[in-house]
Amino acid sequence: MVTNMKEFKNMTIKELAVSVAEAHDADKYWYPVIKKMKNHLYEKGYLTRTDGRAVVTDVGTALGMTYETRISQRGTTYNEILLGENIQEELTSLWDDFKNEVDVENGGEYFTSKEKKSTVQGVFNGENIKFKRFFANHLFTDSEVAQLLNGENISFSSINKNKSITCRGHLQMLEGPSGRTYYSFVPDFSDCYEL
């Protein structure tokens, strides 16, 4: 059962994933872990697919999986699958495995699309600029951002196409196809190498 729960409550897969992610201080993982949890339920034979819908099997029912009729925002009814206590405990115990699988599939560490699109602002060569904080499956730390804004080269290790790489580079003004200028981390390609 999920930690910090005073009494047992049937939960949906999403509710369980969110709750366990919060308990492990890994909120950003709830969404990709849902798929891992569902796959586990199919592999164990607790769920099956019929006419494109998830259906609880006899094994799932025996372990406490049930349906609850709900009403969508559009006013239509649907059956939501609820997880019994035993299955919640099983999925919770596999959290670290699911999280690690997500990290491996994402080249070493999972980043949300928001993190991948995040930018930082600061002063570079006397000019207020902003640039992307994410490069080559690496999210620049505050220290790395400060070094880049100071005009320094930085180096970091990352995973690219399932290979470990070390990359060295600096911040630079670039010009896009439309002639618009922007700032970006620019790797010194001769200094990016596989480990």
Side-chain angles (χ1 to χ4, degrees):
M1 189 160 35
V2 179
T3 42
N4 299 331
M5 287 182 58
K6 294 191 177 170
E7 61 183 67
F8 171 74
K9 169 189 153 202
N10 283 341
M11 294 181 159
T12 65
I13 295 169
K14 178 181 177 181
E15 291 167 344
L16 179 65
V18 169
S19 179
V20 176
E22 288 173 354
H24 284 82
D25 197 28
D27 295 1
K28 71 180 184 178
Y29 282 90
W30 74 265
Y31 184 76
V33 165
I34 288 174
K35 184 176 180 182
K36 300 293 176 193
M37 288 180 166
K38 286 181 181 177
N39 287 343
H40 178 78
L41 296 174
Y42 283 112
E43 288 170 9
K44 295 291 273 187
Y46 304 156
L47 289 177
T48 190
R49 282 221 170 267
T50 303
D51 297 328
R53 293 182 181 190
V55 177
V56 178
T57 65
D58 291 341
V59 175
T61 301
L63 290 171
M65 291 178 75
T66 59
Y67 293 103
E68 179 179 271
T69 302
R70 296 197 175 175
I71 301 173
S72 72
Q73 291 178 342
R74 294 183 176 152
T76 58
T77 59
Y78 66 97
N79 288 328
E80 183 73 64
I81 295 172
L82 298 178
L83 306 174
E85 185 172 9
N86 293 333
I87 294 178
Q88 285 184 36
E89 288 175 355
E90 182 177 332
L91 293 174
T92 300
S93 71
L94 294 169
W95 169 263
D96 288 332
D97 294 337
F98 293 148
K99 181 183 170 296
N100 289 338
E101 286 176 29
V102 168
D103 282 339
V104 167
E105 290 168 2
N106 285 278
E109 183 177 351
Y110 170 71
F111 295 102
T112 64
S113 59
K114 184 177 180 179
E115 286 174 316
K116 290 177 182 178
K117 294 175 184 175
S118 67
T119 59
V120 288
Q121 295 182 1
V123 177
F124 178 67
N125 291 338
E127 186 180 344
N128 284 325
I129 67 157
K130 75 176 182 178
F131 64 97
K132 289 187 177 181
R133 189 174 196 136
F134 189 81
F135 182 85
N137 211 38
H138 176 75
L139 194 67
F140 297 122
T141 65
D142 290 342
S143 174
E144 290 169 332
V145 168
Q147 288 176 289
L148 289 168
L149 290 170
N150 285 332
E152 300 173 30
N153 275 359
I154 63 165
S155 64
F156 58 87
S157 296
S158 185
I159 305 286
N160 190 10
K161 296 181 183 174
N162 293 326
K163 294 180 182 178
S164 293
I165 62 166
T166 296
C167 196
R168 181 175 168 80
H170 58 279
L171 202 54
Q172 183 175 321
M173 183 194 308
L174 301 172
E175 186 174 322
S178 66
R180 183 184 69 84
T181 59
Y182 63 96
Y183 287 86
S184 180
F185 176 81
V186 176
D188 302 326
F189 286 104
S190 61
D191 290 337
C192 289
Y193 53 90
E194 294 178 16
L195 296 177

